[in-house]
Every structure is written in structure tokens, then in C-alpha cells.
Amino acid sequence: MNFTQIALQLFTHGYSFGFGAEQYADHRGIDSKGRSMSGAHLWAKAEAARLEDALHGRSVNMVSAEIELARTMATRVRGYVRPTGLLDKGVSVLEFGPGTVMAFREKTFPVVRELVGRQGRCILIDNSDLFLNQLRDAYGDRIARLTLITENIFSGRRFAGWNEPAFMLMFGRTFGNLDAKASDEAPYKDAARTLRDLAKAAPAGWFAVSIGSNLDGERAKAYYEAHPEFQVNVFFRMAAEMEIEGRFNPEAFRYEADIRGSAEFLQVVHTAVLQEDLSFKLAYEPFDLKAGTRFHLKNSFCFSRGFMEESAQLAGLRPVDFLSDGHGSDLHVFAKPPSS
């Protein structure tokens, strides 16, 4: 679906999975004070602040924890691959949502150095052209076979060649943005389906997935509500790019983090709450929205180790390694056999 179709689905049904990817897009939307509300810029600003705090020891958070886990994994990846005999020629590294240059440098590039070798590729898939262009500028001369693909990372497409095993990566707890309705039930089927679809990106290989395992809802709520402007930037993009007739005020959408969960999972339902009545037409479809209406923009899940490993097995993947900081940041490594 294109952005207009995603917006129509959101206003019609109150939820559209496609918004998760669209939040990271670069656009020309501005607020009433003339400040950029581009998702790519807002995300880069928030991530840079977290990374700088982590790298300079000013805070310990999911960013600093994930950097350490990724660096530890980079020292082990050759051990995962060695039994296959592929190390001599190199193994392709494929990442879903590499994000900013700083994130790639700290987490992904160490894995690329260990595995790509003479024949492997570095394949980066992201919904943001801005991020990919910045990565090309920074690493185009350092990585001989760099392939950049603008695509929804949850598309379920094949990105590696049909005879190209790959070491797949999904950092940033992005897996937690999987498609699922708000529920108090653990989403085993949704998680297994998402793992299976993502793993289709390569015919075989390995899949490293970062995820949170701290099920403290209040902590998660505080984390996400610290950057509310990023969560609602899509409405400013609508105002800037779409032909909307009538009254549409992007600043009327206030962000809230709704919490669901159990002993196996935590679901943050990223929600936009309308603060005033709006009446407008979008793509000739009339909408009369009332103050208090809630829109489900995307999810951020945290999962226990047991949940992730059971979901992976349901998806045809085999657990290979598990890394954790012991405080809620986990990195799972799975093997994907050629038949899955």
C-alpha cells in the first residue's frame, strides 16, 4: 500500500500496520512554529542523543546495551559460520533497517568486517532513502559490494540471491514492531509468521534478532513518551503531501503509549489520541473524527527468551546462541536451514 492508502486505512479502521515503516520517512512537513517534523530527522536526532549518552557513559539504556551485545556477537560470528565451510569466500550480511550511520558503525560494520570477505555482499534494506544515501556516502568506498534497497523491511521479499546464504540482522528491537492487534494474549502466531516472512530474505543462513525482555510497562511508557513528536510525525506528512479538503490539524494528535502484557510479553500500543473534532476529505473519502478517538499507529513488543525461542521454532528456525545484558536487552541468533 502507498502512504495515502495507509492513511485511509488508519482513519477508517483505527489501525494500519504500514504506519510503522512510514514513521521513518523523510518529508517536508513542519509544525506551527516552522520546525521540521520529518520522521527521518526526528529519529536521527533521538537516536544520536541516545548513542552519544551511551558512548560517553552518561546513561545506560537499550542503545548502549545493544552496542555491547552486537560487539560480542561480532567476535562469535565466524564460529557460527565456520562449520559450513563458507568463510574462505565470504558470507553476505543482510540487515533490515540499518538506520543511521552511527548505528551502522557501532553495531553492523563489525559483523561485516568479520564475514563479507572477497565474495560476500553487504545488503541494507530500509524504508528511508535518506538513511541509505547517508550510508552510501559513508561506506560506499569501504565496502566493495554494497547493495542498498529501499523497501518496507517487513515485506517478506527475497533480497539475497537464490544461492546466496546470508547472515541476517535486525537490530534496534525493530522486530518488536511486528503486526498484531492490541491484546492481552501472547502473540505466538504473529511472531512466528513475522520471523518466517523476514527469514525469506535469504535462502539459508543465520538470523540475529535484538529484542527487549524487560516487561516493566512503566519503564517502557517513559522511554517512548520521551520523544512524542517522532511518534506522530506522520500526520504532519499528511498535511504536507496530501490533498486534504476541510479541517485537518496535524497538531491535534497527541501521543500516548498504551501498555498490555503478561509474564511472556509486553506490548506498547503506540497511540495517537485526537484532541479536537476534525472534518475533512482525503482521496474523496469524507471523515468526521471526534475528539477522544484513538488511533493505533504501531507496536513495540518485548518478549521473554522462552517466547522468542518457541516462536522461532514454529517459524522453522533453530536457536544457535543467546546474548543478554541481564537487564532486559537480548540478542537471539537463529539458524535458517535451506528448507525453511
Side-chain angles (χ1 to χ4, degrees), residues 188-207:
Y188 281 101
K189 290 183 179 179
D190 294 320
R193 181 197 71 244
T194 304
L195 284 169
R196 187 182 302 112
D197 287 347
L198 288 166
K200 291 176 183 177
W206 302 264
F207 190 10

Side-chain angles (χ1 to χ4, degrees), residues 23-288:
Q23 281 184 316
Y24 298 88
D26 187 24
H27 60 80
R28 64 179 185 275
I30 58 174
D31 67 8
S32 58
K33 296 181 179 179
R35 295 174 298 194
S36 173
M37 293 298 289
S38 160
H41 288 289
L42 290 171
W43 176 254
K45 180 180 177 181
E47 187 178 60
R50 293 168 183 156
L51 279 168
E52 285 296 325
D53 285 348
L55 292 172
H56 291 89
R58 291 191 290 266
S59 69
V60 178
N61 53 39
M62 62 171 270
V63 177
S64 57
E66 185 169 281
I67 289 172
E68 290 305 313
L69 294 177
R71 288 173 176 173
T72 299
M73 186 187 69
T75 68
R76 302 182 184 182
V77 290
R78 294 177 67 84
Y80 307 147
V81 175
R82 186 170 289 110
T84 67
L86 296 172
L87 280 177
D88 289 343
K89 63 179 183 179
V91 174
S92 291
V93 173
L94 184 156
E95 184 174 12
F96 302 99
T100 64
V101 171
M102 189 180 294
F104 180 86
R105 181 190 70 214
E106 298 297 330
K107 295 183 282 190
T108 309
F109 192 57
V111 178
V112 173
R113 283 200 306 258
E114 293 292 333
L115 292 181
V116 167
R118 299 188 308 275
Q119 298 183 30
R121 289 193 292 161
C122 178
I123 307 168
L124 305 179
I125 304 102
D126 205 296
N127 193 60
S128 171
D129 284 323
L130 176 65
F131 290 163
L132 292 177
N133 289 334
Q134 290 174 342
L135 287 165
R136 178 187 288 110
D137 291 342
Y139 285 92
D141 294 334
R142 302 177 66 183
I143 300 175
R145 304 183 69 197
L146 179 63
T147 302
L148 306 177
I149 302 171
T150 304
E151 178 62 271
N152 181 346
I153 59 177
F154 288 98
S155 67
R157 279 187 49 198
R158 171 66 57 82
F159 295 109
W162 291 99
N163 294 306
E164 184 181 15
F167 199 101
M168 295 172 279
L169 301 167
M170 182 172 263
F171 288 127
R173 302 188 183 185
T174 307
F175 177 73
N177 299 143
L178 62 88
D179 185 11
K181 294 181 179 180
S183 175
D184 294 320
E185 299 293 325
Y188 281 101
K189 290 183 179 179
D190 294 320
R193 181 197 71 244
T194 304
L195 284 169
R196 187 182 302 112
D197 287 347
L198 288 166
K200 291 176 183 177
W206 302 264
F207 190 10
V209 183
S210 79
I211 194 70
S213 59
N214 188 317
L215 307 184
D216 182 345
E218 289 305 312
R219 179 182 178 185
K221 185 177 180 70
Y223 178 84
Y224 288 108
E225 291 185 348
H227 298 281
E229 66 283 352
F230 169 74
Q231 304 295 345
V232 295
N233 82 81
V234 288
F235 299 106
F236 293 86
R237 180 181 173 192
M238 291 179 199
E241 296 183 0
M242 297 180 178
E243 294 186 8
I244 301 177
E245 299 178 26
R247 175 170 170 72
F248 182 80
N249 177 14
E251 295 185 336
F253 297 87
R254 189 190 70 214
Y255 174 71
E256 288 185 9
D258 293 341
I259 307 297
R260 306 288 182 93
S262 71
E264 299 172 291
F265 80 103
L266 173 76
Q267 181 182 16
V268 179
V269 182
H270 296 282
T271 305
V273 184
L274 190 58
Q275 302 300 295
E276 61 188 57
D277 295 349
L278 296 180
S279 182
F280 58 90
K281 284 186 179 181
L282 172 61
Y284 305 105
E285 291 288 334
F287 293 96
D288 289 301

